[in-house]
Amino acid sequence: MSTRITAVDVHDVRFPTAAAGDGSDALNRGDYSATYVELRSDARDGTVGAGLAFTNGRGNELVCAAVRALEHHVVGQRLEDIFADMVPFWRSLVADVQLRWLGPEKGVIHLATGALVNAVWDLRAKLCRVPLWKLLAGMSAAELVAMIDFRHIDDALDPQEARALLERAAPGAEERERELEATGYPAYTTSVGWLGYPDEKVRALVRAAAAAGWRDVKMKVGGPAGADILGHARIARAVAPVRVATGEVAANRVIFKQLMQAQAIGVCQVDACRVGGVNEVLAILLLAARYGVPVCPHAGGVGLCEYVQHLAVFDYLRVSASLEGRMIEYVDHLHEHFVDPVEVTGGRYRVPRSPACPRSAAGTPPPPSPEASFISASAPSTGRTRRSSPRTRSPRRAGTGASPGWPRARASSWTGSPPRTCCSASPACRPGPPPPGWWAC
């Protein structure tokens, strides 16, 4: 039975991170934000696709407006038609004749494209009743290659080479899946090292993370602009044999292609929603495999930890077939603001196994206690999350009662768990726990 996308809902969600320096680096010190997109459909069970673009403070307004400017390319489309001929659909978003001048394929238009494209994939995964990584891992090499726009990158990777890479990595995928199920995926934490933190706080957080089992931590530093390929190459030559990890602000597959061609990147930190969604991430994962560059996706921002675990697991199962040099970034006290926490223990991600939630249902689980809605900016990261025993949040930030304007978030095939918002959909962030019934499934 066909499924048609009937409407796009856009939520402007903000988080009060700047005051305590959470999430800060050499250049970015704003409040973490998310443009949260829901695709409604005519599916009999009311299935809704969810996607997001991570942004920073007032910039979220622009991305929300860009989603609304692009939504006419999505509303009315049959999901089966989109996936039968994905590249023209993707190009309709990145090359809208009246909006392309604002990019092309970068900036707010591309962020909006990523949110919409990821929501389309989420909708398909939910209808298939599988998490996103499982949907991707179950596709054939030919199907995966058909999802990718090779325009501007076929001088480095053409469809035949991409298919050969996927077919070469296919043997052993089931065994690797069992391995991840048993041991998890390696992770490192960034919670210890925001540049806005005083040195003593960084030391205390590193000690706490080490005590909790973390062996790898990250301190964010600045670098050249995302499109300064020659600047990155100059740094890479200067610090060799130390590898340069970059890519979180690289706008598209072409930038990644050039970084790799120029030997300017030693670790690929692709961002799941700065580029144009799953389709473009697939191209970048294959480019990295072509050039032998390990992929450690950029996370950190609210919702990104949930995004990237699916892409990293797929990369291991179907593209790289190796964990050498690969880890997933985890940010304990930031990603909890947005979604039900992923489970990390002793520096290993639990592989998402929960099937996608197909619809809003009665008899939903009770919402968490008020102290579970926020985490203190001064609380040390433990390096792991426990669903049944949330850490106490700062009384200054915890609230009582419902906050008006909260979007009713739905479970995503990216997470297997309902998104947890901690801010209203209005421009002004309203601290406090979500209202009763925020669990939509």
Side-chain angles (χ1 to χ4, degrees):
M1 181 177 178
S2 66
T3 301
R4 191 175 299 276
I5 298 168
T6 58
V8 176
D9 293 340
V10 188
H11 305 289
D12 181 348
V13 189
R14 315 275 179 100
F15 307 88
T17 58
D22 294 344
S24 59
D25 61 28
L27 298 173
N28 301 301
R29 306 202 174 203
D31 285 329
Y32 274 33
S33 307
T35 296
Y36 190 80
V37 173
E38 292 181 310
L39 299 185
R40 302 194 178 277
S41 74
D42 62 1
R44 300 173 89 185
D45 58 10
T47 301
V48 174
L52 67 89
F54 167 66
T55 68
N56 210 324
R58 295 193 312 277
N60 211 41
E61 300 166 15
L62 303 179
V63 182
C64 288
V67 170
R68 297 186 184 101
L70 290 170
E71 66 180 347
H72 66 280
H73 293 292
V74 180
V75 174
Q77 293 267 21
R78 292 174 67 251
L79 200 62
E80 294 74 13
D81 294 338
I82 290 174
F83 280 91
D85 201 5
M86 174 61 82
V87 172
F89 167 75
W90 192 81
R91 287 182 178 175
S92 74
L93 293 166
V94 301
D96 179 294
V97 293
Q98 298 193 47
L99 300 176
R100 183 181 182 275
W101 188 261
L102 303 181
E105 299 188 32
K106 58 181 176 289
V108 295
I109 299 298
H110 218 47
L111 289 167
T113 294
L116 284 165
V117 169
N118 287 341
V120 166
W121 280 90
D122 182 60
L123 181 59
R124 182 182 182 186
K126 285 180 183 176
L127 291 170
C128 293
R129 306 294 191 261
V130 293
L132 191 279
W133 71 265
K134 190 80 169 177
L135 174 67
L136 288 168
M139 295 173 69
S140 70
E143 288 173 319
L144 290 166
V145 168
M147 299 296 112
I148 298 171
D149 186 354
F150 287 90
R151 184 173 52 178
H152 308 313
I153 64 169
D154 58 1
D155 60 319
L157 178 75
D158 63 31
Q160 293 73 31
E161 291 171 315
R163 183 166 178 171
L165 283 169
L166 289 163
E167 291 173 344
R168 188 172 65 205
E174 292 182 359
E175 181 180 347
R176 292 192 292 276
E177 182 177 333
R178 289 191 293 269
E179 172 200 350
L180 291 186
E181 176 69 12
T183 65
Y185 197 103
Y188 66 93
T189 179
T190 307
S191 292
V192 304
W194 305 117
L195 290 192
Y197 287 173
D199 290 347
E200 282 305 314
K201 182 172 182 177
V202 172
R203 293 187 188 100
L205 290 173
V206 170
R207 286 193 290 267
W214 290 101
R215 293 296 175 264
D216 298 277
V217 299
K218 170 181 165 182
M219 182 73 180
K220 295 198 74 170
V221 298
D228 186 0
I229 309 303
L230 297 181
H232 278 286
R234 186 168 62 251
I235 291 173
R237 290 193 299 269
V239 303
V242 175
R243 292 180 298 174
V244 172
T246 191
E248 70 174 80
V249 297
N252 53 55
R253 67 205 182 284
V254 181
I255 298 297
F256 280 101
K257 178 197 73 170
Q258 294 178 348
L259 284 167
M260 294 172 193
Q261 288 175 326
Q263 298 182 324
I265 182 173
V267 178
C268 176
Q269 292 197 295
V270 59
D271 186 299
C273 58
R274 179 174 286 274
V275 299
V278 172
N279 307 63
E280 194 160 38
V281 171
L282 291 176
I284 294 164
L285 294 180
L286 286 163
L287 281 166
R290 158 72 175 80
Y291 285 93
V293 177
V295 177
C296 296
H298 169 246
V302 288
L304 293 184
C305 293
E306 283 63 34
Y307 261 171
V308 303
Q309 59 180 324
H310 293 261
L311 302 175
V313 168
F314 166 75
D315 180 41
Y316 177 46
L317 296 181
R318 292 294 309 279
V319 182
S320 67
S322 171
L323 285 178
E324 184 177 358
R326 287 168 166 78
M327 306 185 82
I328 306 180
E329 184 176 11
Y330 175 76
V331 183
D332 186 33
H333 60 280
L334 288 180
H335 93 274
E336 275 192 359
H337 279 308
F338 193 76
V339 295
D340 196 47
V342 294
E343 294 179 4
V344 177
T345 304
R348 306 286 291 197
Y349 262 84
R350 179 188 65 83
V351 177
R353 299 296 301 193
S354 302
C357 177
R359 59 193 168 98
S360 178
T364 56
S369 58
E371 66 269 21
S373 298
F374 283 84
I375 185 164
S376 169
S378 61
S381 167
T382 66
R384 60 176 177 264
T385 62
R386 296 191 182 100
R387 298 175 189 271
S388 59
S389 180
R391 292 180 300 285
T392 302
R393 272 62 170 175
S394 165
R396 174 179 61 83
R397 298 176 105 183
T400 57
S403 299
W406 286 58
R408 284 185 60 80
R410 286 167 171 77
S412 167
S413 64
W414 294 96
T415 64
S417 305
R420 171 185 295 171
T421 59
C422 76
C423 190
S424 76
S426 67
C429 183
R430 298 188 178 103
W438 70 277
W439 293 85
C441 58

